[in-house]
Amino acid sequence: MSLKDDISLLGDVPIFGDLSDEQLRLVAFGAERRRIPAGQVLFRQGAAADCAYAVASGTFDLERTDPQGRTIKLGAAKPGTLLGELALISLTERKTTAVAAESSEVIRITRPLFNRMIEEYPELGTIMQRRIEANLQRLIEELSALSPRLGG
């Protein structure tokens, strides 16, 4: 896919929705596109997270292992979904495992790239903070609803 396609895809990712074409170009140019074959793990629950992934094509099954060792399917990530956005701003670990349900592609966005964006466009820091806070609140609500299934 072309840089133009990556810019278009990133513009559809909610956290990047308010970025200008120039800002999206910076992200797309600095990011790395990866092809993930069906059945391959993109990342594992508990692993250190150093980047986020924007799903460009295909689908990823998201699952979590509960304290009893049972695997719980949490849903699927489709194109336009950003996986691991907290890794863009802090050291964290993966809360789920993501497995390619079909041949898929992702755009890998590293923390240093994201930090460079914030340095070049300081106003984005506030925009991103609000979006990440809203997404965290949504995630907390979803996990609270799943809590009985997760052994909590």
Side-chain angles (χ1 to χ4, degrees):
M1 295 193 99
S2 71
L3 185 63
K4 184 178 177 182
D5 293 332
D6 288 353
I7 291 167
S8 176
L9 172 82
L10 289 170
D12 291 338
V13 174
I15 197 169
F16 298 126
D18 293 330
L19 302 186
S20 70
D21 284 346
E22 177 184 332
Q23 293 162 335
L24 289 170
R25 186 174 293 106
L26 175 65
V27 176
F29 188 74
E32 173 190 353
R33 186 177 272 269
R34 290 187 176 177
R35 184 176 304 267
I36 311 296
Q40 184 173 325
V41 173
L42 178 63
F43 54 77
R44 293 193 185 282
Q45 177 182 338
D50 64 345
C51 65
Y53 295 97
V55 179
S57 67
T59 305
F60 288 87
D61 291 327
L62 303 176
E63 47 193 48
R64 183 169 177 81
T65 303
D66 71 10
Q68 290 75 35
R70 296 176 297 213
T71 300
I72 300 164
K73 295 210 177 232
L74 300 175
K78 299 184 182 295
T81 302
L82 186 65
L83 299 171
E85 67 190 28
L86 280 181
L88 293 175
I89 58 171
S90 69
L91 298 173
T92 187
E93 66 179 38
R94 303 288 180 192
K95 303 302 180 207
T96 62
T97 296
V99 181
E102 58 189 303
S103 181
S104 304
E105 289 189 40
V106 294
I107 298 173
R108 182 176 182 263
I109 305 162
T110 64
R111 187 178 311 119
L113 171 61
F114 187 76
N115 288 337
R116 187 174 123 212
M117 265 186 55
I118 299 300
E119 287 172 9
E120 290 190 29
Y121 304 100
E123 70 278 7
L124 294 180
T126 303
I127 293 169
M128 296 299 181
Q129 179 183 356
R130 286 187 194 129
R131 288 190 179 270
I132 289 171
E133 286 172 353
N135 288 346
L136 274 175
Q137 185 58 44
R138 179 190 45 78
L139 180 62
I140 289 167
E141 291 166 4
E142 289 174 2
L143 286 175
S144 293
L146 288 172
S147 183
R149 289 178 46 203
L150 297 175

